[in-house]
């Protein structure tokens, strides 16, 4: 028999000696040697002091059912003792020893799984006792692992201390005194002893940590479990009816946090704390509208939500928001961005706020729009700051001038961009002074903040960076001040992500660097026109109808707004009328691209039909470039003072007759 090379192992727990009653003879009689002679059941266990010459050690494989016993035959040494087992016995399969630990782990796992199943069953039963449905109880038991582990630990502790008898006597149960308690019974008793009436596992199943769930369960002691389950389902539906919002709610939250620069009250502070908890998660504030990611932190931050009445508080608030013009699907945005609104009294708090904002000319519809964009307008700190902002623009001299920004401009700015209400007056003053240095003051500043109120929330250095950028392109400071008045949104744009991207596109079109100042001065709107969604498709359309890249570049240099016109409502109808009705070649619009700026219905068609009836041929510039008086005097022999009414009347008649 080939003897494998011995491998050192730890001996199994206590080695029993046995006499071997089988007729099978040992392989040899070498004293002190072990041999594996297979599995056998006809053994007679004897104490180690026995004088048997041949003794056996039992090697158990506990993962088998029934356990497998490998018989290790040993010929005793001269002292009639089994030799120690420092080495693996000859002939024993090395896989047995290598898998022993795995087998023990598997057995432990099986025992643990059995215990967990029994504990879950016990938790489910006690939840049902306190009013939960069977379906809800099973779901809660599956999603409260820490509560389950706590109960099992308590059971083991009482097992170790042998205290179950005292527990059953204290609970007054006679049945358990007559028969031993099962693990499920013990877990049930421990859950009952916690006296939380099923609230702790339910709260953990919502995502709360065990300490938070335990603390909150105490606060909710007056609530029944069925009532809590119903309330949580309603709150989830109210806040997270559509979990996929594309991160829009998170974007609003970031903006609200970014532009807040005033001392805040407790309600806004709690809301910020809620945002920060969500932001710390993977996905950040983009997950703010997600039920799975957010609900836990919502309840941790605002536990009072679960104390509110559904019928007398939550449902009336949702109905009120709908009554003032907030769509039902949008009310969740308000609730998530400012949960304390649910604690407000509709008559005493919200309706009074509506009255306060009437000072800026905000009606019910305006107020609902402001609430959607900036729910914090209901907070005490924001409303106090609102009064300070109004006082600043009404009473303070702006940029050391006698005139002030018109109140109507301030009111429109607040209605369209209510985030201004979270900005401190000191910051607003800095920006107002910065605009004054650029020549934008008083009524001109009023026009700027009416069109782009977000500029007041910028930092002075951000505006100065855009000014420097425009100077580098060749614009004078006076021109830059004019650009602010015409297109203030340029100064709220990112230089790298927006302005430079437009320059790159213009260069691709064929606008040289020397032409850039003129192109931008004539049509600064190019800077805020989307390249991929607007300008590029328009350029492709012009190329598709037969114009060359050189033609397009020439047209843009001569008439900058060209790429700002929509294809379906402006470019295509006018091209089709030019080619199909007027029967003019496309080179006409290359020579006079301003053709696209005139109204097809009010100017192009009427003048064309008038000229056609008179059989007058002229260029597009002559047909459209003259005002009504000049056109009538030159082509219709009508006196100047009668020109416009005459043109309107004749044009209307001709358009109807010719199908135009």
């Amino acid at each position: 028999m080939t003897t494998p090379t011995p491998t050192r192992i730890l001996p199994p727990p206590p080695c029993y000696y046995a006499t071997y009653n089988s007729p099978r003879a040992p392989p040899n009689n070498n004293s002190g040697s072990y041999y594996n002679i297979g599995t056998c059941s006809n053994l007679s266990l004897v104490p180690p002091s026995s004088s048997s010459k041949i003794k056996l050690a039992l090697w158990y494989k506990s993962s088998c059912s029934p356990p497998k016993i490998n018989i290790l035959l040993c010929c005793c040494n001269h002292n009639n003792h089994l030799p120690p087992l420092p080495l693996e016995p000859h002939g024993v399969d090395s896989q047995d020893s290598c898998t022993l630990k795995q087998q023990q782990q598997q057995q432990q796992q099986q025992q643990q799984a059995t215990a967990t199943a029994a504990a879950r069953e016990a938790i489910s039963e006690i939840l049902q006792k306190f009013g939960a449905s069977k379906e809800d109880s099973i779901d809660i038991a599956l999603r409260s692992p820490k509560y389950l582990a706590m109960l099992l630990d308590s059971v083991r502790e009482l097992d170790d201390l042998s205290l179950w008898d005292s527990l059953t006597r204290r609970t007054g149960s006679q049945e358990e005194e007559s028969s031993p308690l099962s693990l499920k019974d013990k877990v049930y008793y421990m859950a009952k002893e916690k006296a939380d009436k099923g609230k702790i596992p339910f709260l953990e199943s919502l995502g709360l940590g065990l300490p938070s769930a335990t603390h909150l369960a105490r606060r909710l002691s007056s609530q029944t479990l069925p009532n809590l389950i119903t309330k949580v389902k309603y709150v989830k539906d109210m806040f997270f009816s559509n979990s996929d919002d594309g991160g829009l709610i998170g974007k609003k939250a970031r903006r609200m946090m970014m532009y807040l620069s005033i001392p805040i009250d407790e309600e806004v502070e709690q809301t910020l704390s809620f945002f920060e908890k969500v932001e710390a998660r993977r996905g950040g504030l983009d997950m703010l509208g997600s039920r799975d990611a957010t609900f836990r932190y919502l309840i941790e931050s605002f536990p009072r939500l679960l104390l509110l009445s559904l019928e007398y508080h939550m449902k009336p608030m949702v109905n009120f928001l709908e009554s003032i013009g907030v769509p039902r699907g949008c009310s969740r945005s308000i609730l998530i961005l400012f949960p304390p609104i649910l604690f407000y009294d509709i008559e005493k708090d919200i309706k009074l706020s509506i009255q306060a904002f009437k000072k800026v000319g905000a009606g019910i519809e305006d107020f609902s729009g402001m609430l959607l964009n900036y729910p914090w307008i209901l907070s005490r700190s924001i409303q106090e700051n609102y009064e300070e902002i109004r006082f600043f623009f009404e009473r303070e001299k702006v940029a050391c001038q006698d005139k002030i920004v018109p109140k109507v401009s301030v009111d429109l700015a607040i209605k369209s961009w209510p985030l201004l209400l979270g900005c401190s007056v000191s910051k607003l003053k800095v920006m107002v002074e910065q605009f004054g240095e650029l020549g934008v003051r008083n009524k001109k500043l009023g026009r700027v903040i009416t069109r782009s109120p977000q500029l007041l929330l910028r930092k002075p250095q951000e505006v100065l960076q855009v000014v420097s950028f425009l100077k580098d392109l060749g614009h004078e400071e006076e021109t830059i001040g004019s650009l602010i008045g015409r297109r203030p949104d340029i100064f709220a744009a990112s230089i790298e992500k927006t302005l430079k991207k437009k320059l790159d596109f213009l260069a691709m079109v064929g606008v040289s660097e020397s032409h850039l100042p003129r192109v931008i001065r004539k049509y600064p709107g190019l800077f805020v026109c989307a390249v991929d969604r607007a300008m590029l498709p328009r350029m492709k359309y012009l190329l598709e109808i037969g114009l060359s890249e050189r033609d397009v570049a020439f047209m843009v240099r001569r008439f900058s707004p060209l790429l700002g016109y929509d294809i379906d409502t402006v470019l295509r109808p006018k091209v089709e009328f030019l080619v199909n009705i007027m029967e003019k070649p496309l080179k006409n619009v290359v020579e006079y691209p301003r053709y696209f700026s005139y109204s097809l219905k009010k100017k192009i068609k009427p003048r064309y039909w008038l000229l056609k009836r008179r059989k007058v041929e002229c260029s597009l510039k002559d047909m459209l470039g003259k005002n009504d008086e000049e056109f009538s005097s030159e082509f219709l022999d009508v006196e100047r003072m009668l020109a416009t009414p005459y043109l309107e009347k004749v044009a209307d008649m001709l358009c109807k007759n010719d199908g135009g």
Side-chain angles (χ1 to χ4, degrees):
M1 175 177 180
T2 303
T3 302
T5 304
T7 304
R8 182 171 295 275
I9 61 169
L10 292 174
C15 240
Y16 294 93
Y17 299 139
T19 59
Y20 180 58
N21 301 322
S22 172
R24 180 176 176 182
N28 58 52
N29 288 322
N30 293 334
S31 178
S33 298
Y34 286 91
Y35 299 93
N36 182 9
I37 60 174
T39 302
C40 187
S41 59
N42 51 351
L43 301 177
S44 299
L45 293 176
V46 296
S49 61
S50 170
S51 59
S52 303
K53 293 296 182 182
I54 296 177
K55 299 184 179 180
L56 303 169
L58 308 186
W59 190 280
Y60 285 90
K61 293 187 71 174
S62 59
S63 63
C64 299
S65 181
K68 176 182 176 182
I69 304 175
N70 283 343
I71 317 267
L72 306 180
L73 177 63
C74 173
C75 295
C76 296
N77 56 26
H78 65 280
N79 292 323
N80 197 30
H81 292 293
L82 283 173
L85 292 170
L87 301 176
E88 183 177 325
H90 295 176
V92 175
D93 187 357
S94 61
Q95 187 176 2
D96 288 344
S97 59
C98 293
T99 59
L100 180 60
K101 187 174 182 180
Q102 294 178 352
Q103 293 162 359
Q104 292 173 341
Q105 289 176 343
Q106 289 174 358
Q107 186 178 26
Q108 291 174 354
Q109 290 171 358
Q110 290 173 356
Q111 292 172 348
Q112 185 176 1
T114 302
T116 299
R120 281 179 178 155
E121 191 175 346
I123 294 172
S124 177
E125 287 185 7
I126 202 163
L127 288 168
Q128 291 178 57
K129 176 184 177 181
F130 290 114
S133 68
K134 185 174 181 180
E135 182 182 1
D136 285 337
S137 69
I138 293 173
D139 181 62
I140 294 168
L142 285 171
R143 294 192 292 119
S144 52
K146 293 182 179 178
Y147 178 76
L148 183 146
M150 177 183 69
L151 295 182
L152 286 175
D153 287 343
S154 299
V155 167
R156 293 189 190 101
E157 185 178 349
L158 289 180
D159 280 340
D160 294 341
L161 298 173
S162 301
L163 295 177
W164 282 108
D165 288 342
S166 62
L167 176 63
T168 54
R169 284 195 299 272
R170 180 159 56 86
T171 57
S173 174
Q174 300 298 323
E175 181 182 349
E176 288 77 2
E177 294 179 7
S178 60
S179 61
L181 292 173
S182 66
L183 177 61
K184 174 184 167 183
D185 294 332
K186 293 176 179 179
V187 172
Y188 186 94
Y189 273 118
M190 294 310 303
K192 192 175 179 182
E193 284 292 297
K194 294 297 180 184
D196 62 277
K197 298 182 179 180
K199 296 184 185 70
I200 294 178
F202 173 60
L203 293 170
E204 186 191 349
S205 73
L206 301 179
L208 275 68
L210 190 58
S212 298
T214 303
H215 175 72
L216 183 54
R218 296 192 191 102
R219 296 189 63 177
L220 300 173
S221 58
S222 62
Q223 304 285 310
T224 64
L225 183 59
N227 178 266
L228 276 179
I229 292 174
T230 301
K231 193 175 295 185
V232 163
K233 288 178 180 178
Y234 181 82
V235 171
K236 281 186 174 183
D237 183 62
M238 181 171 57
F239 278 79
F240 308 102
S241 56
N242 176 16
S243 291
D244 185 15
D245 72 324
L248 180 61
I249 295 178
K251 183 178 179 180
K252 284 185 176 181
R254 273 191 291 269
R255 194 165 58 187
M256 290 164 67
M257 295 167 72
M258 181 186 304
Y259 296 130
L260 185 67
S261 57
I262 61 172
I264 56 176
D265 54 46
E266 183 180 358
E267 292 160 345
V268 175
E269 187 174 357
Q270 286 179 328
T271 305
L272 287 175
S273 176
F274 165 51
F275 289 172
E276 288 165 0
K277 289 177 182 178
V278 177
E279 190 173 28
R281 277 183 60 95
R282 184 176 181 181
L285 286 174
D286 288 336
M287 305 301 292
L288 192 58
S290 169
R291 176 185 312 196
D292 295 335
T294 303
F295 189 74
R296 164 193 172 179
Y297 301 109
L298 177 68
I299 297 302
E300 283 184 346
S301 302
F302 302 98
R304 286 173 56 200
L305 286 175
L306 298 183
L307 291 170
L308 295 176
S309 166
L310 282 181
E311 299 300 326
Y312 298 105
H313 217 113
M314 293 187 182
K315 291 181 180 180
M317 180 61 72
V318 173
N319 293 335
F320 174 76
L321 292 176
E322 289 183 18
S323 72
I324 63 173
V326 177
R328 188 176 184 85
C330 297
S331 60
R332 78 187 198 97
S333 173
I334 296 173
L335 297 175
I336 293 175
L337 292 172
F338 193 52
I341 189 177
L342 286 170
F343 308 136
Y344 281 34
D345 183 280
I346 293 175
E347 296 293 332
K348 296 179 181 179
D349 299 321
I350 300 181
K351 287 189 177 181
L352 284 179
S353 296
I354 293 175
Q355 292 296 322
F357 280 102
K358 284 186 176 179
K359 296 176 183 177
V360 297
I364 293 292
E365 291 184 2
D366 294 322
F367 181 80
S368 65
M370 294 170 68
L371 196 58
L372 273 170
N373 289 321
Y374 196 58
W376 291 355
I377 61 173
L378 292 174
S379 75
R380 176 175 46 81
S381 55
I382 296 297
Q383 293 198 16
E384 289 174 355
N385 192 55
Y386 163 56
E387 295 297 330
E388 292 187 22
I389 290 174
R390 289 183 63 247
F391 178 81
F392 168 71
F393 281 109
E394 287 178 3
R395 303 297 179 187
E396 291 291 323
K397 305 281 185 178
V398 178
C400 301
Q401 299 293 314
D402 292 332
K403 298 179 181 179
I404 61 174
V405 177
K407 178 181 179 299
V408 64
S409 298
V410 178
D411 293 346
L412 288 172
I414 290 175
K415 283 194 293 184
S416 62
W417 199 258
L419 277 83
L420 286 171
L421 299 176
C423 183
S424 65
V425 168
S426 60
K427 284 196 170 186
L428 291 177
K429 187 175 182 179
V430 170
M431 280 307 304
V432 167
E433 291 173 350
Q434 181 62 64
F435 283 125
E437 292 178 7
L438 295 171
V440 181
R441 303 182 182 92
N442 310 320
K443 292 183 179 180
K444 189 175 182 180
L445 177 59
R447 291 193 295 270
V448 168
I449 66 174
T450 299
R451 296 182 63 181
S452 295
Q454 67 270 30
L455 280 179
L456 290 174
L457 299 176
R458 302 281 284 179
K459 297 176 181 177
Q461 57 267 34
E462 291 174 332
V463 173
L464 291 176
Q465 286 173 358
V466 178
V467 170
S468 178
F469 173 78
L470 293 173
K471 284 183 177 180
D472 292 342
L473 291 178
H475 291 284
E476 300 293 334
E477 191 164 314
E478 184 179 347
T479 303
I480 294 173
S482 174
L483 289 177
I484 294 177
R486 292 170 60 196
R487 289 309 301 249
D489 45 348
I490 292 176
F491 295 82
S494 165
I495 293 176
E496 296 297 328
K497 296 179 180 179
T498 303
L499 303 184
K500 285 187 177 180
K501 190 174 181 180
K502 305 309 180 338
L503 292 184
D504 293 340
F505 177 78
L506 291 174
M508 182 196 75
V509 170
V511 178
S512 63
E513 190 173 336
S514 60
H515 286 96
L516 280 176
R518 181 181 182 278
V519 169
I520 293 170
R521 185 172 62 254
K522 292 292 184 180
Y523 185 59
L526 280 174
F527 264 140
V528 289
C529 192
V531 171
D532 296 331
R533 290 184 289 104
M535 291 198 290
L536 189 57
R538 292 163 189 169
M539 179 182 176
K540 287 181 178 179
Y541 170 75
L542 294 174
L543 295 177
E544 287 170 1
I545 63 175
L547 299 176
S548 67
E549 291 184 1
R550 185 176 180 181
D551 290 335
V552 175
F554 178 78
M555 293 167 72
V556 171
R557 288 197 298 268
R558 295 195 65 182
F559 185 62
S560 308
L562 177 67
L563 295 180
Y565 291 126
D566 181 71
I567 295 174
D568 294 327
T569 59
V570 179
L571 297 180
R572 182 179 288 115
K574 292 178 182 179
V575 167
E576 290 175 350
F577 187 80
L578 176 78
V579 175
N580 299 331
I581 305 300
M582 297 175 68
E583 297 181 344
K584 290 181 179 290
L586 281 173
K587 69 176 184 179
N588 281 261
V589 294
V590 176
E591 295 170 356
Y592 191 63
R594 190 176 291 274
Y595 164 78
F596 291 106
S597 68
Y598 299 109
S599 168
L600 186 61
K601 182 179 179 180
K602 294 182 178 180
K603 196 160 191 177
I604 298 176
K605 286 184 177 182
R607 291 196 177 187
Y608 166 71
W609 293 122
L610 281 169
L611 293 175
K612 185 177 182 181
R613 286 296 179 94
R614 289 176 169 266
K615 297 181 180 180
V616 175
E617 290 288 338
C618 65
S619 66
L620 291 178
K621 183 176 182 180
D622 288 337
M623 183 179 85
L624 301 170
K626 303 177 185 297
N627 61 33
D628 288 345
E629 290 81 3
E630 293 170 342
F631 179 82
S632 299
S633 176
E634 183 170 344
F635 295 112
L636 305 178
D637 299 325
V638 176
E639 293 184 10
R640 288 179 177 269
M641 63 183 302
L642 300 175
T644 298
Y646 175 79
L647 277 177
E648 290 176 352
K649 182 178 179 180
V650 173
D652 184 59
M653 178 185 67
L654 290 176
C655 286
K656 287 180 179 178
N657 292 339
D658 292 292

